[in-house]
């Protein structure tokens, strides 16, 4: 595996720019049996995850990233931990969020096996 | 593996009550080659992690947990994701934090292989 931080940074930039510009294209990033837990609600499977992400109550959204951390995982993959702010359409105040991903190696690339998202209210 | 949420909840309660009452005893919870990334600084190994946790610039600390999420991991372990507030001695305002753990099964119990902590300022 290459440098965990470089991989995590490239993944983070790709993930959130795709989320903010063409959310449907995220389907290519999730493993078939991946998990998403979004604000406490868990979906399993790429199809269920895409349904959840498509049904979020906003169309326009912009993520601003404050930090990206990375660690090798026990299974030869990568843990990625992101904090930042999310600004959705019609809102003037961004909300803080944090999100973790586990990425598994697949050929020369990586796919998301685990994704947990939480807003940090306050 | 039992119910991921029940295991994560029990782990979370044990971890933070130990952190707040007897930080040195956390050494029993980390695997020998575990990773800790605390505010962007990474340590590997239980001994280095305990040195880092012992050298944090506060003695008294209280964690208040807002959410605990859990997902099975690709390697048969557990991803745990926690958000909450941390109040350190001499401070009147708690700070928001988020933290992820990966737990690996070890006999009938679990040990921490990965720990990433971030404050969510603002």
């Amino acid at each position: 595996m290459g440098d965990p931080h470089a991989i995590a940074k490239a993944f983070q930039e790709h993930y959130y720019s795709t989320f903010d510009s063409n959310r449907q294209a995220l389907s290519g990033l999730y493993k078939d049996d991946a998990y998403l837990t979004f604000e406490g609600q868990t979906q399993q499977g790429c199809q269920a995850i895409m349904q959840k992400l498509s049904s979020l109550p906003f169309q326009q959204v912009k993520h601003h990233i404050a930090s990206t951390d990375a660690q090798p995982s026990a299974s030869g993959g990568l843990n990625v931990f992101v904090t930042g702010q999310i600004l959705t359409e019609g809102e003037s105040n961004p909300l803080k969020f944090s999100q973790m991903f586990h990425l598994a190696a697949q050929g020369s690339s990586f796919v998301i096996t685990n994704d947990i998202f939480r807003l940090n209210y306050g």
Side-chain angles (χ1 to χ4, degrees), chain A:
Chain A
M1 184 165 67
D3 173 41
H5 287 90
I7 298 169
K9 186 87 189 317
F11 164 77
Q12 173 262 102
E13 288 172 357
H14 181 54
Y15 183 88
Y16 293 107
S17 68
T18 303
F19 198 116
D20 293 354
S21 63
N22 182 15
R23 212 182 302 168
Q24 286 299 329
L26 292 173
S27 64
L29 304 185
Y30 287 94
K31 196 155 184 260
D32 283 349
D33 59 354
Y35 288 93
L36 166 69
T37 301
F38 189 92
E39 285 288 282
Q41 294 189 313
T42 298
Q43 318 289 331
Q44 189 180 8
C46 184
Q47 200 176 347
I49 289 171
M50 291 313 301
Q51 250 168 6
K52 175 66 179 176
L53 294 179
S54 303
S55 70
L56 296 177
F58 50 79
Q59 290 303 312
Q60 302 294 318
V61 57
K62 179 80 186 128
H63 292 79
H64 296 272
I65 306 307
S67 69
T68 307
D69 294 312
Q71 288 180 359
S73 77
S75 57
L78 199 63
N79 295 299
V80 181
F81 189 77
V82 179
T83 68
Q85 295 191 324
I86 180 169
L87 184 65
T88 58
E89 64 186 87
E91 297 290 333
S92 52
N93 293 319
L95 296 171
K96 282 183 220 310
F97 76 93
S98 52
Q99 190 163 12
M100 63 149 285
F101 301 93
H102 180 262
L103 308 182
Q106 189 170 77
S108 62
S109 189
F110 287 87
V111 288
I112 303 169
T113 59
N114 298 83
D115 176 354
I116 304 181
F117 175 96
R118 277 280 176 185
L119 293 171
N120 300 106
Y121 290 107

